[in-house]
Amino acid sequence: MALQDVSQDVGQPKVALFNDPKIRGWVYQIVLLVVIIYLVVVGVQNMFANLAAQNIASGFGFIGRNAGFAISQSLLEYSQAESSYGKVYVVGLLNTVSIAFIGILLATVLGFLIGIARLSHNFIVRGVATVYVEIFRNIPLLLHIFIWYFGVLRLLPHPRNSGDLGWLGLLNNRGWFAPKPLPQELFFITAIAFVIGIIVTIFISRWSRQRQAKTGQQFPVFWTGVGLILGMPVLVFLVTGTPLEFDYPVAGGFRPSGGMTIIPEFIAMLLALSSYTAAFIAEIVRAGIMAVNKGQTEAAHALGLRHGPTLRLVIIPQAMRVIIPPLTSQYLNLTKNSSLAVAIAYPDLVSVFAGTALNQTGQAVEILGVTMLTYLALSLLTAAFMNWYNAKMALVER
Amino acid sequence: MKRRILSVIAGTAVLSLAAGAASAATLDDVKSKDSVQCGVSQGLPGFSNPDQDGNWTGLDVDFCRAVAAAIFGDPSKVKFTPLSAKERFTALQSGDVDVLSRNTTWTMSRDTALGLNFSVVNYYDGQGFMVRKDLGVNSALELSGASICTNTGTTTELNVADYFRANNMEYELVAFEKADEVVAAYDAGRCDVYTTDQSGLYAQRLKLTDPGAHIVLPEIISKEPLGPVVRQGDDQWLNIIKWTHFAMLNAEELGVTQANVDEMKSSDNPSVKRLLGTEGEFGGAIGLGNDWAYNIIKAVGNYGETFDRNVGPDTPLAISRGVNAQWNQGGLQYGPPIR
């Protein structure tokens, strides 16, 4: 660019089109693009021609066909009698997303706690956290999964003598049979109260921040929030006559009936994924906090800030900038690692769609293509969200 | 798991690139490689299972050795590729294996939509159920509400679905990718029932901590004709696979055994003469030497011998011949005549 500008300024005669670097660049790019498109098209055509030549079925006609096999966990209504392979895909996807989402939440909480514990001044706390990180980080995830699964299975009792957790339901090696909440007619009022509580709290916290910036006066936002978000709905709930009943599981037969079931595969998978990823997150958190110069703490203390506000207002906001990018890759790892679920029969996307459905239809190219695109989309969505959050947390330069 | 998917993708990629090569004569490929590449299970006692020394044994393994013997006169010229239920068809389609001899059920969709050909049935099986004795269950019809462990990617998932639906019963299906994990989960009490082909139940029962505490229920809920599979479009190779099995059946019917095959060569029976190649040119018709069947029987014995050696009453599996007996003994095994 700079060279070009100079040449124009000097007013030299225009170079031949052929020699213009800008046009040349464009030509090269277009040629490359055409070649790539050509290769992709030829590759795909070749693949389908060969599949046809070998009498292997192709295309997406199978999506609407009846799948005819059972799935042990489904967030949607799934019936083996009527549901199609398309439904199998959705059920598998939801199972993957639910384990990944809950796993990420759990891993983040656990990881932050352990990461902070690793910096503790207390020798025992620090030691325990270090041992945790070293053990969990250095054993392959598949072994974690097997240990949790078979370990948990062997510890749990047979359904005939289920462990009774009281109001939490029953626990045995067929899973956790939790009471199922059955909202009654007036329950929606409580739900509305909850939502209103959240919205009002957000407004109050904004208002209080502005007021503090102007006048320096503080407002007990936290306790007001607790009152609004928790207290108000509870009050409404009691006033409307506790419109929530529970369907308790009843022991008997091969396994308890009623209630809702959380299968042991889900529990084992969740524990394995979150405890494993938490070890990595702990190290990221530790690194992030240590990356904040000690002078910042000293300066905050010198300004009279106590330990809590120093951590909350000075150290963590700066540490987050270091933490978020590697944290994003841990989230992506956890999501992708959830595909190991196939080893212990958790019905995730890989197990039911890229597994059973693939085998029943034999259409490896289509099914694996769709599965790969799905994981790609999940990862890109997670990354996009984290990038947005990162931009929000980035250092605002004034 | 990642390795699995990778191999499936690699298989598909190879498939798209090497499609031309795959339809070429498999026999020529096998001869130039100097060995038959045979897809087997990852360990199913009696059918394909490595012994203490790492040598593959079993009914399906003996079939592959018989093919190698027919082609090379040497049963050791065979290499085994252990495959999961999920990988098996892709491995065959992509040319990773020449023949799939892996207790695979012959169904119409597999035979027509996958570009594969089922050749013969070397074991007639049916799906059954195994439960703990202390459950007190005597019939599969008492299993409503049970948790059922099985393998993914098999016909068993669909059969069990049909059976429970037809009988208006509830169940929970727990499907694992590998047979070993099914056994481990069933052993750990995750499921009340283990379902797979009945021969498989007898085989996997040996792996449980206390095999005596489990029974196989009498019901057979499906037809599971198991047999070797090849790629479509190579009739010569299909013929070799078919006639390897038929030669073993004919040998049993004619009383030709591994022990007496040499003296049988001088038999006056024209059927035996045609089988052992002392009369006619039947080996040449499938691109092999005239002593092809002699080599098979010399190497692995006739069908009855391989059955007795691997799964028969004197083995830990203790399976009786049942429907797998010769046609003239009340069974279904019927070798078309060599003439």
Side-chain angles (χ1 to χ4, degrees), chain A residues 228-284:
Chain A
L228 281 169
I229 297 175
L230 294 179
M232 188 172 73
V234 168
L235 204 67
V236 170
F237 182 71
L238 293 174
V239 167
T240 50
T242 59
L244 185 69
E245 285 175 9
F246 286 95
D247 174 21
Y248 280 93
V250 186
F254 283 105
R255 58 200 171 117
S257 53
M260 56 181 187
T261 318
I262 293 163
I263 57 174
E265 289 78 26
F266 179 85
I267 299 171
M269 207 55 215
L270 185 67
L271 290 175
L273 279 178
S274 50
S275 64
Y276 177 78
T277 312
F280 290 89
I281 293 180
E283 286 299 90
I284 291 169

Side-chain angles (χ1 to χ4, degrees), chain A residues 46-47 50-51 54-57 67-72 80-81 146 149-150 153-154 158 160 173-174 254-255 263-265 337 339-340 342-345 350-351 354-356 359-362 364-365 368 372, chain B residues 1-2 5 8-9 12 15-16 19 22 85-86 89 93 112-115 134-135 137 142-147 152-154 157-158 161 165 171-177 181 184-185 188-192 232:
Chain A
N46 182 38
M47 184 185 72
N50 283 322
L51 286 175
Q54 297 205 342
N55 292 325
I56 298 174
F69 59 91
I71 299 178
S72 59
Q80 56 174 49
F146 281 138
Y149 186 54
F150 288 109
L153 269 190
R154 284 190 190 277
H158 190 266
R160 284 194 184 166
N173 60 17
R174 300 296 140 76
F254 283 105
R255 58 200 171 117
I263 57 174
E265 289 78 26
N337 284 341
S339 65
L340 287 169
V342 69
I344 58 161
V350 170
S351 172
T356 307
N359 221 276
Q360 307 294 3
T361 61
V365 178
L368 285 180
M372 287 195 291
Chain B
M1 191 52 232
K2 286 195 179 128
I5 290 189
V8 173
I9 294 170
T12 339
L15 175 81
S16 55
K86 218 169 113 178
F89 298 119
Q93 288 167 339
T112 53
L114 300 180
D134 60 20
L135 209 58
V137 168
E142 298 166 32
L143 291 177
S144 188
S147 298
T152 58
T154 60
E157 274 173 289
L158 303 180
R165 207 163 100 199
Y171 71 105
E172 178 200 25
L173 188 79
V174 190
F176 294 83
E177 200 198 1
E181 278 132 29
R190 172 66 181 91
C191 298
D192 306 296
Q232 265 183 21

Side-chain angles (χ1 to χ4, degrees), chain B residues 205-220:
Chain B
R205 185 163 68 167
L206 303 174
K207 294 184 186 167
L208 298 172
T209 36
D210 181 11
H214 303 264
I215 53 162
V216 175
L217 296 177
E219 281 89 353
I220 289 191

Side-chain angles (χ1 to χ4, degrees), chain B residues 243-300:
Chain B
W243 285 95
T244 299
H245 180 61
F246 294 150
M248 291 164 77
L249 286 179
N250 278 311
E252 186 187 15
E253 198 181 335
L254 296 167
V256 183
T257 65
Q258 197 170 12
N260 71 9
V261 65
D262 283 310
E263 40 187 290
M264 278 297 203
K265 259 193 151 171
S266 50
S267 163
D268 292 331
N269 184 337
S271 295
V272 175
K273 284 182 142 182
R274 283 194 295 271
L275 174 70
L276 298 181
T278 48
E279 196 181 294
E281 290 288 334
F282 294 98
I286 52 173
L288 301 177
N290 226 13
D291 55 354
W292 63 286
Y294 167 82
N295 287 332
I296 293 172
I297 297 152
K298 186 80 186 159
V300 301

Side-chain angles (χ1 to χ4, degrees), chain A residues 188-204:
Chain A
F188 76 98
I189 304 178
T190 309
I192 291 174
F194 180 69
V195 174
I196 291 176
I198 291 178
I199 294 172
V200 173
T201 307
I202 291 173
F203 274 109
I204 289 183

